[in-house]
Amino acid sequence: MALTLSSRRTTRRLAADAGLLVVAATFALPLLWVVLSSLDAHADLKVKAPDGLTLDNFHAILNSDITFTPLLNSLILCGFGTLLTVVCAALAAYPLSRFRSRLNRPFLLTILFATSLPVTAIMVPVYALFVQVNLIDTMQGTIFFFAASQLPFAIWLMKNFMDGVPKELEEAAWTDGASSFQSLARIVLPLMGPGVAVVTVFSFVMMWGNFFVPFMLLLTPDQMPASVSINEFFGNRGMVAYGQLAAFSVVYSTPVILLYVLVARRLGRGFALGGAVKG
Amino acid sequence: MTTAPQHTGPGVREVPPGPPTPTTQLPTPKRPFTQTLTRLLPLSPALILLLLFLAGPIAYCAYIAFTDLQLTGQAHSSFVGFANFRTAFKDSEFLNAVWLTLVFTVLSSLIGQNTIGLGLAALMQRASKPVRTLTGAIVITAWVLPEVVAGFLLYAFFRREGTLDAILVWLHLPSQNWLFTLPILAVSFANVWRGTAFSMLVYSAALNEIPKEITEAAEVDGASGWRRMWHITLPMIRRSIGTNLMLNTLQTLSVFGLIWVMTRGGPGNKSQTLPLYMYEQAFQNSMIGYATAVALLLLLVGSLFSVIYMRLLRTEV
């Protein structure tokens, strides 16, 4: 019995391996295209071995017009947006996690509700509103909106992580006369370092890849982040230089992939869900 | 959802609802109302941001959806009641967008991401470690990539002279310009490519929590793989399935960049889902009021799903 079971298991493992490899190959094709084309002097739309390995595509795009300014804009938008999100979420999560109040439950339910609202839907009214209050085409307006749209999920995650920090340590500090703010900054946040890292990286990655928000709220080309400026490779310039487009995609995507890998490795599998979707 | 641990340690922390009681932990006991306010003070930055930049626009949305606000010219907009909604439901383009949104959501989210995600997670339980790691890495990379980059990669994949075409030619099958003939199918596939990792992670986590003994016992009793999946695994992870379906659906409802990059909603309006229709009405036809009415409908559908999602979680917050 044991023997048949184990041989059946081997067959099954091989079948599973084969199945996964087929899916992996399908998923890999578009990714292969971007990597190969970025190194190909004569890139087109197909996955193919480069005619001759070259870094010309990268040389062509690595200048301030095409790459550095948009990336810097992305960094400003997402950096400040993330900072605002994380600071506000940490502050907000503290009373929700530490003190009981009649307001906690309604507040958390509202947050959870807002977490899953389709933000895309409100972009047209946000545009109209921003025109009214002169926030349209400003970096700060976009940063505020980024932060606000990311906040519900950030508060939710942060609160769940904070609940995992035992209170006893803080109580000692309180007896010694520390204020709530001091105990949050000196005790709770350091103890939930990985949790803060998850919220930070998650917010940053979400903003870095977001297209619709800056597409709607920013108008001046100089202010465009990479997610929008990448559009310039198409249409406006007539012929599309696919090799350069691929090279730009690689440069633009690398930071978020690295961030993801860093945090995922440190925190183990499934970190991005942070227990937020466990049924 | 992990239930928030209710801290009922030695220090009782409730804010007393009535007069101050000796259980108060603070060194200097204050009056409860002031105390509550002080304690909730850290909430205020988040609250202000949320009210100004999220609740504000939603309220504004609910207001201008009932006006005839336009992008240009007109200094004043006037209240038009439900006219925008009546126009929408009579407009064949709107109905087309509703239909395409439905097709896009069902194909890519309910069927694609959900089923393939579950399939991948199930296969990963049995596969060897290197294959598992490799597949996971590839699928997750597709997920982490910025939306617009994903759009370009899939654009290159589906276009005439693209990778798919090359494969079909190699297999001596008829090739075509998928973005032209079946755009909604192409963008749905793109959304599957991009979004499946999420379901895969959710289901991997769920499957890992099923005790090994249960499936092994069924295996020894001779239950086939499919039967074990149907009668044991699926019922045990049903709550994960619910939450995953809900989140996938909400995510898919608001996809804009992916479709915008691949097809701009075209050709004609053959891949114009509601967000793209809304955008076109607002900025190509300058009908902000009307577009907002469409946005409000989208928001209402989203809210409905959101409420179901909260129900599914049955969170004790």
Side-chain angles (χ1 to χ4, degrees):
Chain A
M1 190 68 187
L3 219 151
T4 40
L5 258 186
S6 84
S7 74
R8 226 194 293 164
R9 272 194 194 134
T10 316
T11 329
R12 250 184 7 201
R13 197 183 64 227
L14 289 175
D17 282 355
L20 281 183
L21 285 174
V22 169
V23 179
T26 317
F27 271 76
L29 281 173
L31 292 173
L32 267 180
W33 175 76
V34 76
V35 176
L36 294 176
S37 302
S38 70
L39 299 169
D40 190 340
H42 307 281
D44 57 21
L45 288 163
K46 279 189 283 292
V47 171
K48 63 179 172 63
D51 286 349
L53 278 184
T54 170
L55 288 176
D56 285 355
N57 292 324
F58 287 94
H59 284 306
I61 60 144
L62 286 178
N63 55 53
S64 59
D65 255 10
I66 299 179
T67 303
F68 298 139
T69 309
L71 282 186
L72 183 68
N73 289 338
S74 287
L75 199 64
I76 293 171
L77 286 175
C78 308
F80 283 107
T82 303
L83 186 70
L84 205 54
T85 306
V86 173
V87 170
C88 290
L91 286 173
Y94 188 72
L96 293 172
S97 167
R98 271 9 195 189
F99 308 124
R100 287 211 202 147
S101 154
R102 269 167 297 172
L103 294 172
N104 280 8
R105 193 180 151 77
F107 187 81
L108 280 170
L109 283 177
T110 314
I111 287 295
L112 185 60
F113 176 73
T115 298
S116 29
L117 279 185
V119 171
T120 305
I122 61 168
M123 285 320 292
V124 170
V126 168
Y127 174 88
L129 193 64
F130 271 34
V131 170
Q132 301 271 315
V133 297
N134 276 328
L135 274 173
I136 201 73
D137 200 22
T138 62
M139 287 288 221
Q140 61 271 34
T142 313
I143 289 169
F144 282 134
F145 185 74
F146 258 152
S149 62
Q150 205 52 55
L151 255 178
F153 192 60
I155 294 177
W156 183 255
L157 270 184
M158 197 74 98
K159 192 241 167 207
N160 281 345
F161 282 123
M162 212 175 266
D163 284 343
V165 177
K167 280 189 168 176
E168 285 70 22
L169 294 159
E170 259 174 292
E171 277 160 9
W174 282 340
T175 336
D176 293 342
S179 69
S180 299
F181 182 75
Q182 284 169 324
S183 70
L184 172 66
R186 303 255 176 85
I187 300 168
V188 182
L189 288 181
L191 281 175
M192 52 180 283
V196 177
V198 168
V199 179
T200 308
V201 168
F202 189 84
S203 305
F204 190 86
V205 171
M206 292 310 282
M207 293 177 196
W208 187 264
N210 193 307
F211 166 73
F212 203 28
V213 171
F215 179 65
M216 292 287 277
L217 300 183
L218 295 173
L219 313 168
T220 322
D222 294 352
Q223 302 198 69
M224 292 300 177
S227 60
V228 183
S229 78
I230 192 173
N231 252 316
E232 294 294 307
F233 282 96
F234 262 74
N236 300 352
R237 293 183 187 176
M239 274 290 286
V240 184
Y242 288 109
Q244 293 180 21
L245 174 64
F248 184 83
S249 301
V250 169
V251 172
Y252 165 45
S253 308
T254 308
V256 282
I257 292 177
L258 287 181
L259 273 178
Y260 181 90
V261 171
L262 265 176
V263 172
R265 184 168 287 178
R266 188 164 156 208
L267 296 167
R269 291 200 302 150
F271 89 92
L273 315 174
V277 292
K278 233 161 81 185
Chain B
M1 183 67 51
T2 32
T3 314
Q6 297 297 322
H7 300 282
T8 46
V12 181
R13 195 157 309 289
E14 294 98 54
V15 176
T21 59
T23 47
T24 311
Q25 278 272 315
L26 286 179
T28 47
K30 295 175 200 158
R31 291 177 59 213
F33 182 67
T34 338
Q35 187 188 317
T36 312
L37 270 192
T38 325
R39 284 180 165 185
L40 292 180
L41 197 64
L43 270 174
S44 52
L47 214 53
I48 292 170
L49 266 180
L50 287 172
L51 285 176
L52 285 183
F53 291 96
L54 213 58
I58 292 175
Y60 193 58
C61 176
Y63 165 69
I64 52 177
F66 294 94
T67 70
D68 60 358
L69 186 65
Q70 297 201 359
L71 197 58
T72 43
Q74 208 182 4
H76 294 287
S77 58
S78 49
F79 193 74
V80 295
F82 283 92
N84 287 329
F85 297 94
R86 278 196 297 271
T87 315
F89 283 103
K90 272 189 226 142
D91 180 7
S92 62
E93 268 197 66
F94 170 78
L95 297 175
N96 170 63
V98 171
W99 167 245
L100 288 178
T101 309
L102 204 67
V103 171
F104 181 61
T105 310
V106 171
L107 270 187
S108 66
S109 159
L110 297 190
I111 299 177
Q113 296 175 352
N114 186 58
T115 316
I116 297 173
L118 179 59
L120 284 175
L123 285 177
M124 279 180 165
Q125 299 279 309
R126 299 163 178 182
S128 59
K129 191 156 186 289
V131 175
R132 201 164 62 210
T133 316
L134 178 76
T135 313
I138 292 170
V139 175
I140 287 175
T141 306
W143 181 52
V144 180
L145 279 186
E147 188 179 17
V148 182
V149 173
F152 280 131
L153 299 197
L154 274 301
Y155 171 86
F157 184 76
F158 279 111
R159 259 202 65 133
R160 190 170 274 283
E161 274 105 54
T163 303
L164 182 60
D165 226 29
I167 296 172
L168 291 175
V169 168
W170 183 64
L171 292 172
H172 299 289
L173 288 169
S175 69
Q176 55 182 315
N177 189 347
W178 298 94
L179 293 173
F180 200 78
T181 49
L182 286 166
I184 194 70
L185 199 67
V187 294
S188 298
F189 181 89
N191 194 39
V192 171
W193 186 79
R194 185 171 142 74
T196 298
F198 182 79
S199 306
M200 183 186 83
L201 288 170
V202 171
Y203 288 132
S204 289
L207 292 181
N208 279 331
E209 277 181 16
I210 295 179
K212 281 260 183 298
E213 300 80 47
I214 298 183
T215 37
E216 271 166 14
E219 195 182 343
V220 173
D221 289 346
S224 71
W226 288 114
R227 287 183 56 130
R228 279 195 312 255
M229 191 72 178
W230 191 252
H231 290 291
I232 299 168
T233 313
L234 288 182
M236 289 191 77
I237 60 166
R238 66 181 186 281
R239 289 184 69 189
S240 295
I241 297 176
T243 49
N244 182 55
L245 279 177
M246 208 47 65
L247 289 174
N248 279 348
T249 309
L250 283 162
Q251 185 67 40
T252 301
L253 266 185
S254 52
V255 168
F256 179 88
L258 197 66
I259 304 179
W260 177 257
V261 167
M262 287 178 71
T263 67
R264 302 271 141 115
N269 51 19
K270 278 163 79 183
S271 60
Q272 191 177 54
T273 57
L274 277 172
L276 283 103
Y277 175 76
M278 176 188 87
Y279 177 82
E280 190 190 83
Q281 292 304 322
F283 295 101
Q284 265 128 49
N285 303 346
S286 315
M287 310 283 282
I288 296 270
Y290 177 65
T292 306
V294 175
L296 192 62
L297 290 173
L298 194 59
L299 206 58
L300 287 177
V301 174
S303 315
L304 190 72
F305 280 121
S306 193
V307 168
I308 302 174
Y309 166 62
M310 285 161 67
R311 272 286 151 101
L312 277 169
L313 284 179
R314 275 185 229 114
T315 328
E316 292 159 36
V317 286

